[in-house]
Amino acid sequence: MRNPEKVLNSLSEHSKCSEYKFERLYRVLYNADMFLLAYNNIQSKPGNMTEGSDGKTIDGMSLKRIEKLIGVLKNESYQPNPARRIYIPKKNGKLRPLGIPSFDDKLVQEVIRMMLEAIYEDYLENTSHGFRPKRSCHTALIQVQKNFTATKWFIEGDIEGFFDNINHDVLIEILNGRIADERFIRLIRKFLKAGYIEDWVFHKTYSGTPQGGIISPILANIYLDKLDKYMKEYARKFDKGITRRKNLEYKSYTGKIWWLGTKLKKTENEETRKELIKAIKNIQKERLHLPSVDEMDENYKRIKYVRYADDFIIGVIGSKADSEIIKEDIKNFLYDKLKLSLSEEKTLITHGNKHAKFLGYEIYVRKYSEMTKRSKKSGKLSKVYGKKVVLEMPMEAVKKKLLHYEVMRIHQFENKEKWKPIRRVKVLHNDDLEILDAYNAEIRGFANYYSIANNSSYLNSFKYIMQYSMYKTFANKYRTSVRKIIAKYRCNKDFVVFYENKKGEKKMRVFFNASFKRKTTMVLNCDNLANTICISSRTSLIERLRAGKCELCGSAGDMEIHHVKKLKDLKGKKPWEIQMIGRRRKTLAVCIPCHKKIHHGG
């Protein structure tokens, strides 16, 4: 069997060539090492211990289970199970449908995902950022900030019910454009048509990607790559002119400065020189308030485009009429070519100086009047921030998050909102360390997402509410005052919780004390995707599975991996629990008799 890393790298070599057709892909699914690599990629996901419609979980993974899966793939009798549909609460109180595939289907999907990623990753456009390796919301936002300078209009794109409305026939046609393997295409179609079970009733799926499927994000990117390429070609035709026409008023000021500078060189009288220098500086100051180019130049137009999953934003240097035409053209393209609808309510055209919304940020272009002036070493004044894109954290997002965490109450005071931190009743019965860790994790998560915002210092307001909510929670738990709690837990100006680890060593955990200074580098792991192509060595989990030695009784033979959801749920009374707690692993390679004994309470 070929090494899976070599297989994937071999596929990725032809990724950039749009004319290349990939053949004999289905045979890759006969490679057991591909399934072991897939198992390693997804084994740590918490949802793996949730049963699919077949009643199975990740528990009991073995080489025989993989061999059986490959066997049904070889004779093409493999049929994906319908996803089990459940509903989870959304932030607005409504319910979101969630599909839970069986674990065997997840394993096959992960192998397909790795192959599709190798085939398409270098082929996809640079303007696409959702669910791709080394890309995230931050890379999309920073691309907007760097490339959308001097934008006159924003078009906030929203595709109506995208993931549920992907047309299967269109998707298969797109895949056929690069893949010449009918069996591989048929397998993907099986996943698309697998359906879902809700209240023990089977429902067919006529459109959309697999419910909760691992391959859904990559299929969505392949589908919308057609939009990305359309926008690339659209920009090539729309873009006009090399540079903007010079602003005549700005040009006249430059001429005056040049004339006075020439006069200064010829003048030797000290008093006259001082007057000329003062006049030059005054004209330079006045010129700073003027744009150097004609912003209404009709002979200069540009389009910039960035997409994250089904959200996209377009920056237009042109007129509002141009923006209306662009919006209509995109709407027609989506409907005619991809069978999708553009949401009229949510697809907005916003002036560059007003706030447009993208990925939870508010985006606008600085006015010239807002620019900062800075003296260089030469003493000359220069424009610094004029017409640059600003990324802002909306205070409404802070408010919603604090209300969602139930750490704040809002009071109306003279037609103004006053935010007041409150105790958190739900965590009162947790221990001190759990309470502190919960607040730290929530602050860190929110701060990381908005760390690239130009107004990231506003996160101090978020931290203040969270901090005093925590103080009040501790005070309520111990029936004392906030002042006494702060005094009790203070250590070197920090709020500290001391605890003992399993070895009896005394440790300390500090309340979040990092700076909220704006970061200029993006967080690349927001989407939590593994790099499946460049893997240097086998993992210990795969080695343990292949070793053929039971980690509980020491016998040799076929092994199965026993999985648990959380180590902290184990009581440590049974031999296998002691083993897992001692090794700090949520997995244990055991023989079949030992695995049966574990599940029967042994």
Side-chain angles (χ1 to χ4, degrees), residues 296-547:
M296 305 305 290
D297 185 3
E298 294 181 358
N299 294 317
Y300 182 85
K301 293 181 179 181
R302 287 292 185 273
I303 279 184
K304 298 296 180 182
Y305 163 87
V306 169
R307 178 177 66 82
Y308 183 93
D310 58 333
D311 290 328
F312 63 88
I313 189 165
I314 298 169
V316 181
I317 298 178
S319 65
K320 188 175 183 180
D322 290 330
S323 301
E324 295 281 3
I325 293 168
I326 293 165
K327 178 185 170 181
E328 192 64 26
D329 288 343
I330 292 170
K331 177 185 172 182
N332 293 335
F333 172 82
L334 287 171
Y335 186 79
D336 295 340
K337 301 296 183 183
L338 299 180
K339 311 298 181 190
L340 295 171
S341 300
L342 200 63
S343 173
E344 288 291 339
E345 293 179 2
K346 296 180 181 178
T347 304
L348 308 174
I349 296 174
T350 309
H351 192 274
N353 296 145
K354 295 181 180 178
H355 291 172
K357 292 179 180 177
F358 183 57
L359 300 179
Y361 277 70
E362 288 185 344
I363 301 169
Y364 69 93
V365 177
R366 288 186 193 268
K367 298 177 183 177
Y368 274 110
S369 59
E370 294 175 353
M371 69 188 177
T372 304
K373 304 165 190 175
R374 184 187 298 159
S375 295
K376 295 184 178 179
K377 289 182 180 179
S378 62
K380 293 181 180 178
L381 293 171
S382 61
K383 295 176 183 178
V384 182
Y385 295 126
K387 294 297 177 181
K388 293 289 178 72
V389 172
V390 178
L391 302 176
E392 279 197 353
M393 172 186 66
M395 289 308 291
E396 188 64 25
V398 177
K399 175 182 168 182
K400 284 182 179 178
K401 184 61 74 173
L402 291 170
L403 291 173
H404 173 68
Y405 286 153
E406 297 179 358
V407 296
M408 178 182 78
R409 187 181 292 119
I410 297 176
H411 295 278
Q412 292 292 334
F413 182 74
E414 294 181 357
N415 296 324
K416 290 183 180 180
E417 287 185 350
K418 188 175 181 181
W419 297 2
K420 185 179 179 181
I422 59 173
R423 63 192 171 93
R424 213 169 186 176
V425 180
K426 290 180 180 178
V427 298
L428 284 176
H429 299 294
N430 293 0
D431 63 40
D432 290 0
L433 187 61
E434 286 175 330
I435 294 171
L436 179 65
D437 283 347
Y439 277 94
N440 277 349
E442 288 158 353
I443 294 170
R444 193 176 292 110
F446 192 76
N448 280 345
Y449 189 76
Y450 285 105
S451 60
I452 62 169
N454 289 73
N455 62 342
S456 62
S457 60
Y458 286 15
L459 285 164
N460 284 298
S461 301
F462 176 79
K463 180 190 171 184
Y464 173 82
I465 298 291
M466 293 291 285
Q467 187 174 3
Y468 274 85
S469 168
M470 185 187 67
Y471 291 162
K472 289 185 176 185
T473 302
F474 273 95
N476 188 249
K477 179 180 178 180
Y478 292 108
R479 299 285 188 258
T480 186
S481 67
V482 167
R483 183 176 58 81
K484 288 179 180 178
I485 283 294
I486 294 171
K488 179 183 175 182
Y489 287 88
R490 185 177 292 278
C491 180
N492 297 327
K493 296 184 179 180
D494 286 316
F495 187 92
V496 174
V497 169
F498 289 94
Y499 66 98
E500 284 189 3
N501 62 13
K502 292 177 181 178
K503 294 180 180 179
E505 299 169 336
K506 194 173 183 181
K507 299 284 184 179
M508 59 183 279
R509 193 72 52 83
V510 180
F511 177 71
F512 186 90
N513 59 1
S515 166
F516 291 121
K517 185 179 178 182
R518 184 183 176 226
K519 294 178 183 176
T520 54
T521 55
M522 53 284 234
V523 177
L524 295 175
N525 61 345
C526 307
D527 298 338
N528 199 25
L529 288 179
N531 185 351
T532 57
I533 297 177
C534 302
I535 299 172
S536 58
S537 63
R538 288 277 183 262
T539 67
S540 62
L541 183 61
I542 297 172
E543 289 170 357
R544 287 160 56 207
L545 185 60
R546 281 184 158 166

Side-chain angles (χ1 to χ4, degrees), residues 224 239 252:
L224 282 182
D239 291 357
S252 69

Side-chain angles (χ1 to χ4, degrees), residues 231-244:
M231 289 307 303
K232 185 178 181 180
E233 182 62 20
Y234 196 101
R236 190 184 66 80
K237 293 176 181 177
F238 180 87
D239 291 357
K240 187 178 179 182
I242 300 171
T243 57
R244 276 193 172 114

Side-chain angles (χ1 to χ4, degrees), residues 30-93:
Y30 303 164
N31 189 337
D33 283 354
M34 288 293 293
F35 284 89
L36 286 170
L37 181 57
Y39 171 53
N40 173 63
N41 287 344
I42 65 176
Q43 57 89 18
S44 62
K45 310 265 183 197
N48 290 329
M49 289 301 291
T50 306
E51 291 182 358
S53 60
D54 62 351
K56 295 179 182 178
T57 68
I58 190 174
D59 187 50
M61 176 51 60
S62 64
L63 295 175
K64 279 192 173 181
R65 190 170 172 180
I66 290 172
E67 287 170 12
K68 185 180 177 182
L69 202 51
I70 292 172
V72 292
L73 284 164
K74 280 183 177 180
N75 61 29
E76 291 194 67
S77 63
Y78 172 78
Q79 181 60 47
N81 293 289
R84 183 167 67 87
R85 176 171 278 192
I86 62 170
Y87 290 88
I88 56 173
K90 294 168 70 173
K91 291 178 183 178
N92 59 9

